[in-house]
Coordinates of all heavy atoms in Angstrom, one line a residue:
M1 N 0.8 -1.2 0.0 CA 0.0 0.0 0.0 C 0.9 1.2 0.0 O 1.8 1.3 0.8 CB -0.9 0.0 1.2 CG -1.9 1.1 1.3 SD -2.9 1.1 2.8 CE -4.2 0.0 2.4
R2 N 0.6 2.2 -0.8 CA 1.4 3.4 -0.9 C 1.1 4.3 0.3 O 0.0 4.2 0.9 CB 1.1 4.2 -2.2 CG 1.5 3.5 -3.4 CD 1.3 4.3 -4.7 NE 0.0 4.9 -4.7 CZ -0.3 6.1 -5.1 NH1 0.7 6.9 -5.4 NH2 -1.5 6.6 -5.1
I3 N 2.1 5.2 0.6 CA 1.9 6.0 1.8 C 0.7 6.9 1.7 O -0.1 7.1 2.7 CB 3.2 6.9 2.0 CG1 3.1 7.7 3.3 CG2 3.4 7.9 0.9 CD1 3.5 7.0 4.5
E4 N 0.3 7.4 0.5 CA -0.8 8.2 0.3 C -2.1 7.4 0.6 O -3.1 8.0 1.2 CB -0.9 8.8 -1.1 CG 0.2 9.8 -1.5 CD 1.5 9.1 -1.9 OE1 1.5 7.9 -2.0 OE2 2.5 9.9 -2.0
E5 N -2.1 6.2 0.3 CA -3.3 5.3 0.6 C -3.4 5.1 2.1 O -4.5 5.1 2.6 CB -3.2 4.0 -0.2 CG -3.3 4.2 -1.7 CD -2.9 3.0 -2.5 OE1 -2.1 2.1 -2.0 OE2 -3.4 2.8 -3.6
R6 N -2.3 4.9 2.7 CA -2.3 4.7 4.2 C -2.8 5.9 4.9 O -3.6 5.8 5.8 CB -0.9 4.3 4.7 CG -0.6 2.9 4.6 CD 0.7 2.5 5.4 NE 0.9 1.1 5.4 CZ 0.3 0.2 6.1 NH1 -0.5 0.6 7.0 NH2 0.6 -1.0 6.0
L7 N -2.3 7.1 4.4 CA -2.7 8.3 5.1 C -4.2 8.5 4.9 O -4.9 9.1 5.8 CB -2.0 9.5 4.4 CG -0.5 9.6 4.8 CD1 0.2 10.7 3.9 CD2 -0.3 9.9 6.3
Y8 N -4.8 8.1 3.9 CA -6.2 8.2 3.6 C -7.0 7.4 4.6 O -8.2 7.8 4.9 CB -6.5 7.8 2.2 CG -7.9 8.1 1.7 CD1 -8.3 9.5 1.5 CD2 -8.9 7.1 1.6 CE1 -9.6 9.8 1.1 CE2 -10.2 7.5 1.2 CZ -10.5 8.8 1.0 OH -11.8 9.1 0.6
T9 N -6.5 6.4 5.2 CA -7.2 5.6 6.2 C -7.2 6.1 7.6 O -7.9 5.6 8.5 CB -6.6 4.1 6.2 OG1 -5.3 4.2 6.8 CG2 -6.6 3.5 4.8
L10 N -6.4 7.2 7.8 CA -6.3 7.7 9.2 C -7.4 8.6 9.5 O -8.1 9.2 8.6 CB -5.0 8.5 9.3 CG -3.7 7.7 9.0 CD1 -2.5 8.7 9.1 CD2 -3.5 6.6 9.9
R11 N -7.7 8.7 10.8 CA -8.7 9.6 11.3 C -8.1 10.6 12.2 O -7.2 10.3 13.0 CB -9.8 8.8 12.0 CG -10.6 7.9 11.1 CD -11.5 8.6 10.1 NE -12.1 7.8 9.1 CZ -11.6 7.5 7.9 NH1 -10.4 8.0 7.6 NH2 -12.2 6.7 7.1
Y12 N -8.5 11.8 12.2 CA -8.0 12.9 13.0 C -9.0 13.5 13.8 O -10.2 13.7 13.4 CB -7.3 14.0 12.1 CG -6.2 13.5 11.2 CD1 -6.5 13.0 9.9 CD2 -4.9 13.5 11.6 CE1 -5.5 12.6 9.1 CE2 -3.9 13.1 10.8 CZ -4.2 12.6 9.5 OH -3.2 12.2 8.7
K13 N -8.6 13.9 15.0 CA -9.5 14.8 15.9 C -8.6 16.0 16.1 O -7.6 16.0 16.8 CB -9.8 14.1 17.2 CG -10.9 13.1 17.1 CD -11.4 12.7 18.5 CE -12.4 11.7 18.5 NZ -12.7 11.1 19.8
R14 N -9.1 17.1 15.5 CA -8.3 18.3 15.4 C -8.2 18.9 16.8 O -9.2 19.1 17.5 CB -8.9 19.3 14.5 CG -8.1 20.5 14.2 CD -8.6 21.3 13.0 NE -7.8 22.4 12.7 CZ -8.0 23.6 13.1 NH1 -9.0 23.9 13.9 NH2 -7.1 24.6 12.8
D15 N -7.0 19.2 17.2 CA -6.7 19.9 18.5 C -6.6 21.4 18.1 O -5.8 21.8 17.2 CB -5.4 19.4 19.1 CG -5.2 20.0 20.5 OD1 -6.0 20.9 20.9 OD2 -4.3 19.5 21.2
E16 N -7.5 22.2 18.6 CA -7.4 23.6 18.3 C -6.1 24.3 18.6 O -5.7 25.3 18.0 CB -8.6 24.4 19.0 CG -10.0 23.9 18.6 CD -10.2 24.1 17.1 OE1 -9.8 25.1 16.5 OE2 -10.9 23.2 16.5
K17 N -5.4 23.7 19.6 CA -4.1 24.2 20.0 C -3.0 23.5 19.3 O -2.9 22.3 19.5 CB -4.0 24.0 21.5 CG -2.9 24.8 22.2 CD -3.0 24.6 23.7 CE -1.8 25.2 24.3 NZ -1.8 24.9 25.7
P18 N -2.3 24.2 18.4 CA -1.2 23.4 17.6 C -0.3 22.7 18.5 O 0.2 23.3 19.5 CB -0.6 24.6 16.8 CG -1.5 25.7 16.8 CD -2.3 25.6 18.1
H19 N 0.0 21.5 18.2 CA 1.0 20.7 19.0 C 2.4 20.9 18.4 O 3.4 20.3 19.0 CB 0.6 19.3 19.1 CG 0.7 18.5 17.8 ND1 -0.2 18.6 16.8 CD2 1.6 17.6 17.4 CE1 0.2 17.9 15.8 NE2 1.3 17.2 16.1
L20 N 2.6 21.5 17.2 CA 3.9 21.7 16.7 C 3.9 23.1 16.0 O 2.9 23.5 15.5 CB 4.4 20.6 15.8 CG 3.7 20.3 14.5 CD1 4.6 20.3 13.4 CD2 2.9 19.0 14.7
S21 N 5.1 23.7 16.1 CA 5.2 25.0 15.5 C 6.7 25.3 15.2 O 7.6 24.6 15.8 CB 4.6 26.1 16.4 OG 5.3 26.1 17.6
I22 N 7.0 26.2 14.4 CA 8.3 26.7 14.1 C 8.7 27.7 15.1 O 7.9 28.7 15.3 CB 8.5 27.1 12.7 CG1 8.4 25.9 11.8 CG2 9.8 27.9 12.5 CD1 8.4 26.2 10.3
I23 N 9.8 27.6 15.8 CA 10.2 28.5 16.9 C 10.6 29.8 16.4 O 10.1 30.9 16.8 CB 11.3 27.8 17.8 CG1 10.8 26.5 18.4 CG2 11.7 28.8 18.9 CD1 11.8 25.7 19.0
E24 N 11.6 29.8 15.4 CA 12.1 31.1 14.8 C 12.0 31.0 13.3 O 12.9 30.4 12.7 CB 13.5 31.3 15.3 CG 13.7 31.7 16.7 CD 15.1 32.1 17.1 OE1 15.7 32.9 16.4 OE2 15.6 31.6 18.1
P25 N 11.0 31.6 12.7 CA 10.8 31.5 11.3 C 12.1 32.0 10.5 O 12.3 31.5 9.4 CB 9.6 32.3 11.0 CG 8.8 32.3 12.3 CD 9.8 32.2 13.4
N26 N 12.8 33.0 11.0 CA 13.9 33.5 10.3 C 15.0 32.4 10.1 O 15.7 32.5 9.1 CB 14.6 34.6 11.1 CG 13.7 35.9 11.0 OD1 12.8 35.9 10.2 ND2 13.9 36.8 11.9
K27 N 15.1 31.5 11.0 CA 16.1 30.4 10.8 C 15.8 29.5 9.6 O 16.7 28.9 9.0 CB 16.1 29.5 12.1 CG 16.9 30.2 13.2 CD 17.1 29.2 14.4 CE 17.9 29.9 15.5 NZ 17.9 29.1 16.7
C28 N 14.5 29.5 9.2 CA 14.2 28.6 8.0 C 14.7 29.2 6.8 O 15.1 28.4 5.9 CB 12.6 28.5 7.9 SG 11.9 27.7 9.4
Q29 N 14.8 30.5 6.7 CA 15.5 31.1 5.5 C 16.9 30.7 5.4 O 17.5 30.3 4.4 CB 15.4 32.6 5.5 CG 13.9 33.2 5.4 CD 13.5 33.1 3.9 OE1 14.2 32.7 3.0 NE2 12.2 33.4 3.7
K30 N 17.6 30.7 6.6 CA 19.0 30.4 6.7 C 19.1 28.9 6.3 O 20.1 28.5 5.7 CB 19.5 30.7 8.1 CG 21.0 30.6 8.2 CD 21.4 31.1 9.6 CE 22.8 31.3 9.6 NZ 23.3 32.5 10.3
C31 N 18.2 28.1 6.8 CA 18.2 26.7 6.6 C 18.2 26.4 5.1 O 18.9 25.5 4.6 CB 17.1 26.0 7.3 SG 16.9 24.2 7.1
A32 N 17.4 27.1 4.4 CA 17.2 26.9 3.0 C 18.5 27.2 2.3 O 19.0 26.5 1.3 CB 16.1 27.8 2.4
E33 N 19.2 28.2 2.7 CA 20.5 28.6 2.1 C 21.6 27.5 2.4 O 22.4 27.2 1.5 CB 21.0 29.9 2.7 CG 20.2 31.1 2.3 CD 20.5 32.4 3.2 OE1 21.6 32.4 3.8 OE2 19.6 33.3 3.2
I34 N 21.6 27.0 3.6 CA 22.6 26.0 3.9 C 22.3 24.6 3.4 O 23.2 24.0 2.8 CB 22.8 26.0 5.5 CG1 23.3 27.3 6.0 CG2 23.7 24.9 5.9 CD1 23.3 27.5 7.5
N35 N 21.1 24.2 3.6 CA 20.7 22.8 3.3 C 20.1 22.6 1.9 O 19.9 21.5 1.5 CB 19.8 22.3 4.3 CG 20.4 22.2 5.7 OD1 21.4 21.5 5.9 ND2 19.9 23.0 6.6
G36 N 19.8 23.8 1.2 CA 19.2 23.7 0.0 C 17.7 23.4 0.1 O 17.2 23.2 1.2
V37 N 17.0 23.3 -1.0 CA 15.6 23.1 -0.9 C 15.3 21.7 -1.6 O 16.0 21.4 -2.6 CB 14.8 24.2 -1.6 CG1 14.8 25.5 -0.7 CG2 15.3 24.5 -3.0
P38 N 14.3 21.0 -1.2 CA 13.4 21.3 0.0 C 14.2 21.1 1.3 O 15.2 20.3 1.3 CB 12.3 20.3 -0.2 CG 12.8 19.2 -1.0 CD 13.8 19.8 -1.9
E39 N 13.8 21.8 2.3 CA 14.5 21.7 3.6 C 14.2 20.4 4.3 O 13.3 19.7 3.9 CB 14.0 22.9 4.5 CG 14.4 24.2 3.9 CD 13.6 24.6 2.7 OE1 12.6 23.9 2.3 OE2 13.9 25.7 2.2
P40 N 15.0 20.0 5.3 CA 14.9 18.7 5.9 C 13.5 18.4 6.4 O 13.0 17.3 6.3 CB 15.9 18.8 7.1 CG 17.0 19.7 6.5 CD 16.2 20.8 5.7
C41 N 12.8 19.4 7.0 CA 11.5 19.1 7.6 C 10.5 18.7 6.4 O 9.7 17.8 6.6 CB 11.0 20.3 8.3 SG 10.8 21.8 7.4
I42 N 10.7 19.4 5.3 CA 9.8 19.1 4.2 C 10.1 17.7 3.6 O 9.2 16.9 3.2 CB 9.9 20.2 3.1 CG1 9.4 21.5 3.7 CG2 9.2 19.8 1.8 CD1 9.6 22.7 2.8
V43 N 11.4 17.4 3.6 CA 11.8 16.1 3.0 C 11.3 14.9 3.8 O 10.8 13.9 3.3 CB 13.4 16.0 2.9 CG1 13.8 14.6 2.5 CG2 13.9 17.0 1.8
V44 N 11.5 15.0 5.1 CA 11.2 13.8 6.0 C 9.7 13.7 6.3 O 9.3 12.6 6.7 CB 12.0 13.8 7.3 CG1 13.5 13.8 7.0 CG2 11.6 15.0 8.2
C45 N 8.9 14.7 6.2 CA 7.5 14.6 6.7 C 6.7 13.8 5.7 O 6.6 14.2 4.5 CB 6.9 16.0 6.9 SG 5.2 15.9 7.4
P46 N 6.1 12.7 6.1 CA 5.3 11.9 5.2 C 3.9 12.5 5.0 O 3.2 12.0 4.1 CB 5.2 10.6 6.0 CG 5.3 11.0 7.4 CD 6.2 12.1 7.5
A47 N 3.5 13.5 5.7 CA 2.2 14.0 5.6 C 2.1 15.4 5.1 O 1.1 16.1 5.2 CB 1.5 14.0 7.0
N48 N 3.2 15.9 4.5 CA 3.2 17.2 3.9 C 2.7 18.3 4.8 O 1.9 19.2 4.4 CB 2.4 17.3 2.6 CG 2.9 16.3 1.5 OD1 4.2 16.2 1.4 ND2 2.1 15.7 0.8
V49 N 3.2 18.3 6.0 CA 2.8 19.3 7.0 C 3.4 20.7 6.7 O 2.8 21.7 6.9 CB 3.1 18.8 8.4 CG1 3.0 19.9 9.5 CG2 2.2 17.6 8.8
Y50 N 4.7 20.6 6.2 CA 5.4 21.9 6.1 C 5.4 22.3 4.6 O 5.6 21.5 3.7 CB 6.9 21.7 6.5 CG 7.0 21.3 7.9 CD1 7.1 20.0 8.3 CD2 7.0 22.3 9.0 CE1 7.2 19.6 9.6 CE2 7.1 21.9 10.3 CZ 7.2 20.6 10.6 OH 7.3 20.2 11.9
S51 N 5.1 23.6 4.3 CA 5.2 24.1 3.0 C 5.5 25.6 3.0 O 5.1 26.3 3.9 CB 4.0 23.8 2.2 OG 2.8 24.3 2.8
W52 N 6.2 26.0 2.0 CA 6.5 27.4 1.9 C 5.3 28.2 1.3 O 4.7 27.7 0.4 CB 7.7 27.7 1.0 CG 9.0 27.4 1.6 CD1 9.7 26.2 1.5 CD2 9.8 28.2 2.5 NE1 10.9 26.3 2.3 CE2 10.9 27.5 2.8 CE3 9.6 29.5 3.0 CZ2 11.9 28.1 3.7 CZ3 10.5 30.1 3.8 CH2 11.7 29.4 4.1
V53 N 5.1 29.4 1.8 CA 4.1 30.3 1.2 C 4.8 31.5 0.7 O 5.6 32.2 1.5 CB 3.0 30.7 2.2 CG1 2.1 31.8 1.7 CG2 2.2 29.5 2.6
D54 N 4.6 31.9 -0.5 CA 5.2 33.1 -1.2 C 6.8 33.1 -1.0 O 7.4 34.2 -1.0 CB 4.6 34.3 -0.5 CG 3.2 34.4 -0.8 OD1 2.7 33.9 -1.8 OD2 2.5 35.1 0.0
N55 N 7.4 31.9 -0.8 CA 8.8 31.8 -0.7 C 9.4 32.6 0.5 O 10.6 32.9 0.5 CB 9.5 32.3 -2.0 CG 9.5 31.2 -3.0 OD1 9.5 30.1 -2.7 ND2 9.6 31.6 -4.3
N56 N 8.6 33.0 1.4 CA 9.2 33.7 2.5 C 8.8 33.2 3.9 O 9.3 33.7 4.9 CB 8.8 35.2 2.4 CG 7.4 35.5 2.5 OD1 6.6 34.6 2.8 ND2 7.0 36.7 2.2
R57 N 7.8 32.3 4.0 CA 7.6 31.7 5.3 C 7.0 30.3 5.1 O 6.4 30.0 4.1 CB 6.6 32.5 6.1 CG 5.2 32.5 5.6 CD 4.3 33.5 6.4 NE 3.0 33.5 5.9 CZ 2.0 32.8 6.3 NH1 2.1 32.0 7.3 NH2 0.8 32.9 5.7
I58 N 7.3 29.4 6.1 CA 6.8 28.1 6.1 C 5.5 28.0 6.9 O 5.5 28.5 8.0 CB 7.8 27.1 6.7 CG1 9.0 26.9 5.6 CG2 7.2 25.8 7.0 CD1 10.0 25.8 6.0
V59 N 4.5 27.4 6.3 CA 3.3 27.2 7.1 C 3.3 25.8 7.6 O 3.8 24.9 7.0 CB 2.0 27.5 6.3 CG1 1.8 28.9 6.0 CG2 2.0 26.6 5.0
V60 N 2.7 25.6 8.7 CA 2.7 24.3 9.4 C 1.2 23.8 9.5 O 0.5 24.3 10.3 CB 3.3 24.4 10.8 CG1 3.3 23.0 11.5 CG2 4.7 25.0 10.7
S61 N 0.9 22.8 8.7 CA -0.5 22.3 8.7 C -0.5 21.2 9.7 O -0.6 20.0 9.4 CB -0.9 21.8 7.3 OG -0.7 22.8 6.3
Y62 N -0.4 21.6 11.0 CA -0.3 20.6 12.1 C -1.4 19.6 12.2 O -1.2 18.5 12.7 CB -0.1 21.4 13.4 CG -1.4 22.0 13.9 CD1 -2.2 21.2 14.7 CD2 -1.8 23.2 13.5 CE1 -3.4 21.8 15.2 CE2 -3.0 23.8 13.9 CZ -3.8 23.0 14.7 OH -5.0 23.6 15.2
E63 N -2.6 19.9 11.7 CA -3.7 19.0 11.8 C -3.5 17.8 10.9 O -4.2 16.8 11.1 CB -5.0 19.7 11.5 CG -5.1 20.3 10.1 CD -4.5 21.7 9.9 OE1 -4.0 22.2 10.9 OE2 -4.4 22.2 8.8
N64 N -2.6 17.8 10.0 CA -2.3 16.6 9.2 C -1.2 15.7 9.8 O -0.8 14.7 9.2 CB -1.9 17.0 7.8 CG -3.0 17.7 7.1 OD1 -4.2 17.5 7.3 ND2 -2.6 18.6 6.1
C65 N -0.6 16.1 10.9 CA 0.5 15.4 11.4 C 0.2 14.0 11.9 O -0.8 13.8 12.5 CB 1.1 16.2 12.6 SG 2.4 15.4 13.5
V66 N 1.0 13.0 11.6 CA 0.8 11.6 12.0 C 1.7 11.3 13.2 O 1.8 10.1 13.6 CB 1.1 10.6 10.9 CG1 0.1 10.8 9.7 CG2 2.5 10.7 10.3
E67 N 2.3 12.3 13.8 CA 3.0 12.2 15.1 C 4.2 11.2 15.0 O 4.4 10.5 16.0 CB 2.1 11.9 16.2 CG 1.0 12.9 16.3 CD -0.2 12.5 17.2 OE1 0.0 11.6 18.0 OE2 -1.3 13.0 16.9
C68 N 4.9 11.2 13.9 CA 6.1 10.3 13.8 C 7.3 10.9 14.5 O 8.3 10.2 14.8 CB 6.4 10.0 12.3 SG 7.0 11.4 11.4
G69 N 7.4 12.2 14.6 CA 8.5 12.8 15.3 C 9.7 13.1 14.4 O 10.8 13.6 14.8
A70 N 9.7 12.7 13.1 CA 10.8 12.8 12.2 C 11.3 14.2 12.0 O 12.5 14.5 12.0 CB 10.5 12.2 10.9
C71 N 10.4 15.2 11.9 CA 10.8 16.6 11.6 C 11.6 17.1 12.8 O 12.6 17.9 12.6 CB 9.6 17.4 11.4 SG 8.4 17.4 12.7
R72 N 11.3 16.8 14.0 CA 12.0 17.3 15.1 C 13.4 16.8 15.1 O 14.3 17.5 15.5 CB 11.3 16.9 16.4 CG 11.9 17.4 17.7 CD 11.1 17.1 18.9 NE 10.7 15.7 19.0 CZ 10.1 15.1 20.0 NH1 9.8 15.8 21.1 NH2 9.8 13.8 20.0
I73 N 13.6 15.6 14.7 CA 15.0 15.0 14.7 C 15.7 15.6 13.5 O 16.9 15.9 13.6 CB 14.9 13.5 14.6 CG1 14.3 12.9 15.9 CG2 16.3 12.9 14.3 CD1 13.8 11.5 15.7
A74 N 15.1 15.8 12.4 CA 15.8 16.2 11.1 C 16.1 17.7 11.1 O 17.1 18.1 10.4 CB 14.9 15.9 9.9
C75 N 15.4 18.5 11.9 CA 15.7 20.0 11.8 C 17.1 20.3 12.3 O 17.4 20.0 13.5 CB 14.7 20.7 12.6 SG 15.0 22.5 12.6
P76 N 18.0 20.8 11.5 CA 19.4 21.0 11.9 C 19.5 22.2 12.9 O 20.5 22.4 13.5 CB 20.1 21.3 10.6 CG 19.0 21.8 9.7 CD 17.8 21.2 10.1
F77 N 18.4 23.0 13.0 CA 18.5 24.1 13.9 C 17.7 23.9 15.2 O 17.5 24.9 16.0 CB 18.0 25.4 13.2 CG 18.9 25.9 12.1 CD1 18.7 25.5 10.8 CD2 20.0 26.7 12.4 CE1 19.6 25.9 9.8 CE2 20.9 27.1 11.5 CZ 20.7 26.7 10.1
D78 N 17.2 22.7 15.4 CA 16.4 22.4 16.6 C 15.3 23.5 16.7 O 15.1 24.1 17.8 CB 17.3 22.4 17.8 CG 16.6 21.6 19.0 OD1 15.7 20.9 18.7 OD2 17.1 21.8 20.1
N79 N 14.6 23.7 15.6 CA 13.8 24.9 15.4 C 12.3 24.5 15.4 O 11.5 25.3 15.1 CB 14.1 25.6 14.1 CG 13.6 27.0 14.0 OD1 13.3 27.6 15.1 ND2 13.4 27.5 12.8
I80 N 12.0 23.3 15.8 CA 10.6 22.9 15.8 C 10.2 22.6 17.3 O 10.8 21.8 17.9 CB 10.4 21.7 14.9 CG1 10.7 22.0 13.5 CG2 8.9 21.1 15.1 CD1 10.7 20.9 12.5
S81 N 9.1 23.3 17.7 CA 8.5 23.0 19.0 C 7.5 21.9 18.8 O 6.6 22.0 18.0 CB 7.9 24.2 19.6 OG 7.1 23.9 20.7
W82 N 7.7 20.7 19.5 CA 6.9 19.6 19.2 C 6.4 18.9 20.5 O 7.2 18.7 21.3 CB 7.7 18.6 18.4 CG 7.0 17.5 17.6 CD1 6.8 17.5 16.3 CD2 6.4 16.3 18.1 NE1 6.1 16.4 15.9 CE2 5.8 15.6 17.1 CE3 6.3 15.8 19.4 CZ2 5.1 14.4 17.2 CZ3 5.6 14.6 19.6 CH2 5.0 13.9 18.5
K83 N 5.2 18.6 20.6 CA 4.7 17.8 21.7 C 3.4 17.0 21.1 O 2.9 17.4 20.1 CB 4.3 18.6 22.9 CG 3.3 19.7 22.6 CD 3.1 20.6 23.8 CE 2.0 21.6 23.6 NZ 2.5 22.9 23.4
Y84 N 3.0 16.0 21.9 CA 1.8 15.3 21.4 C 0.6 16.2 21.6 O 0.5 17.0 22.5 CB 1.6 14.0 22.2 CG 2.6 12.9 21.8 CD1 3.7 12.5 22.6 CD2 2.4 12.3 20.6 CE1 4.5 11.6 22.2 CE2 3.2 11.3 20.1 CZ 4.3 10.9 21.0 OH 5.2 10.0 20.5
P85 N -0.4 16.0 20.7 CA -1.7 16.7 20.9 C -2.3 16.3 22.3 O -1.9 15.3 22.9 CB -2.6 16.2 19.8 CG -1.6 15.6 18.8 CD -0.5 15.1 19.5
R86 N -3.2 17.1 22.7 CA -3.8 16.8 24.0 C -4.6 15.5 24.0 O -4.9 15.0 22.9 CB -4.8 18.0 24.4 CG -4.0 19.3 24.7 CD -4.9 20.4 25.0 NE -5.7 20.8 23.8 CZ -6.7 21.6 23.8 NH1 -7.0 22.2 25.0 NH2 -7.3 21.9 22.7
Y87 N -4.8 15.0 25.2 CA -5.3 13.6 25.3 C -6.6 13.4 24.4 O -7.5 14.2 24.5 CB -5.7 13.3 26.7 CG -6.2 11.9 26.9 CD1 -5.3 10.8 26.9 CD2 -7.5 11.7 27.1 CE1 -5.8 9.5 27.0 CE2 -8.0 10.4 27.2 CZ -7.2 9.3 27.2 OH -7.6 8.0 27.3
G88 N -6.6 12.3 23.6 CA -7.7 12.0 22.8 C -7.8 12.7 21.5 O -8.7 12.4 20.7
L89 N -6.9 13.7 21.3 CA -6.9 14.4 20.0 C -5.7 14.0 19.2 O -4.8 13.3 19.6 CB -6.9 15.9 20.3 CG -8.0 16.5 21.2 CD1 -7.8 17.9 21.6 CD2 -9.3 16.3 20.4
G90 N -5.7 14.5 17.9 CA -4.6 14.2 17.0 C -5.0 13.0 16.1 O -6.2 12.7 15.9
V91 N -4.0 12.3 15.7 CA -4.3 11.2 14.7 C -4.7 9.9 15.4 O -4.3 9.6 16.6 CB -3.0 10.9 13.9 CG1 -1.9 10.3 14.8 CG2 -3.3 10.0 12.7
A92 N -5.6 9.1 14.8 CA -6.0 7.8 15.3 C -5.6 6.8 14.2 O -6.1 6.9 13.1 CB -7.5 7.8 15.6
F93 N -4.8 5.8 14.6 CA -4.4 4.8 13.7 C -5.4 3.6 13.8 O -5.9 3.3 14.8 CB -3.0 4.3 14.0 CG -1.9 5.4 13.8 CD1 -1.5 6.2 14.8 CD2 -1.4 5.6 12.5 CE1 -0.6 7.2 14.7 CE2 -0.4 6.5 12.3 CZ 0.0 7.3 13.4
R94 N -5.6 3.0 12.6 CA -6.4 1.8 12.6 C -5.5 0.6 12.3 O -4.7 0.7 11.3 CB -7.6 1.9 11.6 CG -8.6 2.9 12.0 CD -9.8 2.8 11.2 NE -9.6 3.1 9.8 CZ -10.5 3.0 8.8 NH1 -11.7 2.7 9.1 NH2 -10.1 3.3 7.6
Y95 N -5.6 -0.4 13.0 CA -4.8 -1.6 12.7 C -5.7 -2.8 12.2 O -6.9 -2.9 12.6 CB -4.1 -2.0 14.0 CG -3.2 -1.0 14.5 CD1 -3.6 -0.1 15.5 CD2 -1.9 -0.8 14.0 CE1 -2.7 0.9 16.0 CE2 -1.0 0.2 14.5 CZ -1.5 1.0 15.5 OH -0.7 2.0 15.9
G96 N -5.1 -3.6 11.4 CA -5.8 -4.8 10.9 C -6.6 -4.5 9.7 O -6.6 -3.5 9.1
Ligands
SF4_1 FE1 13.0 25.6 9.5 FE2 14.0 23.4 10.7 FE3 12.4 23.1 8.5 FE4 14.9 24.1 8.3 S1 14.3 22.0 8.9 S2 13.1 24.9 7.3 S3 15.1 25.3 10.3 S4 11.8 24.0 10.5
SF4_2 FE1 5.4 15.4 9.7 FE2 6.1 13.5 11.4 FE3 6.8 16.0 11.9 FE4 4.2 15.3 12.1 S1 5.9 14.6 13.4 S2 5.0 17.1 11.1 S3 4.1 13.8 10.4 S4 7.5 14.7 10.2

């Protein structure tokens, strides 16, 4: 099964309070200069949570996050604030 098909089977309960965010947006511009594009967070995220808008800021579509934690590890500037959504909210995986 392709990743897109798997993502389609997930269910989300949106937490109004974002559980992840970029700490210092200015560092993302620097990151693009050093690491090239797409940036590490964009490369590793399986759910397309991060994307550039107008080439000057990254938007974080946190409600699509599958809580894998990869972006937090991949960010070379430790620039992502990440925690689990509040209890009962966020992604729900189905097994079987
Ligand atoms: Fe910004 Fe980190 Fe993503 Fe680089 S990897 S663009 S510093 S959030
Ligand atoms: Fe994407 Fe995983 Fe980071 Fe969520 S935790 S934003 S799914 S890389």
Side-chain angles (χ1 to χ4, degrees):
M1 186 184 275
R2 294 185 314 136
I3 185 83
E4 291 81 7
E5 292 167 334
R6 275 196 177 274
L7 289 171
Y8 190 69
T9 67
L10 301 178
R11 295 291 173 267
Y12 300 89
K13 280 190 184 172
R14 187 169 187 266
D15 189 349
E16 297 300 324
K17 195 173 171 188
H19 68 285
L20 61 130
S21 61
I22 290 177
I23 299 166
E24 290 186 47
N26 289 343
K27 284 187 178 173
C28 296
Q29 292 284 356
K30 193 173 192 137
C31 179
E33 291 168 20
I34 294 172
N35 297 295
V37 290
E39 294 73 6
C41 59
I42 293 174
V43 171
V44 300
C45 180
N48 296 324
V49 167
Y50 301 94
S51 57
W52 283 98
V53 170
D54 298 333
N55 279 334
N56 61 10
R57 71 184 175 93
I58 286 188
V59 291
V60 183
S61 304
Y62 72 92
E63 60 277 358
N64 297 331
C65 176
V66 297
E67 301 164 27
C68 69
C71 56
R72 183 173 51 171
I73 295 167
C75 177
F77 291 94
D78 203 15
N79 195 24
I80 296 172
S81 168
W82 198 106
K83 57 185 183 254
Y84 283 107
R86 291 177 294 172
Y87 182 76
L89 301 174
V91 68
F93 294 96
R94 290 192 299 180
Y95 300 96

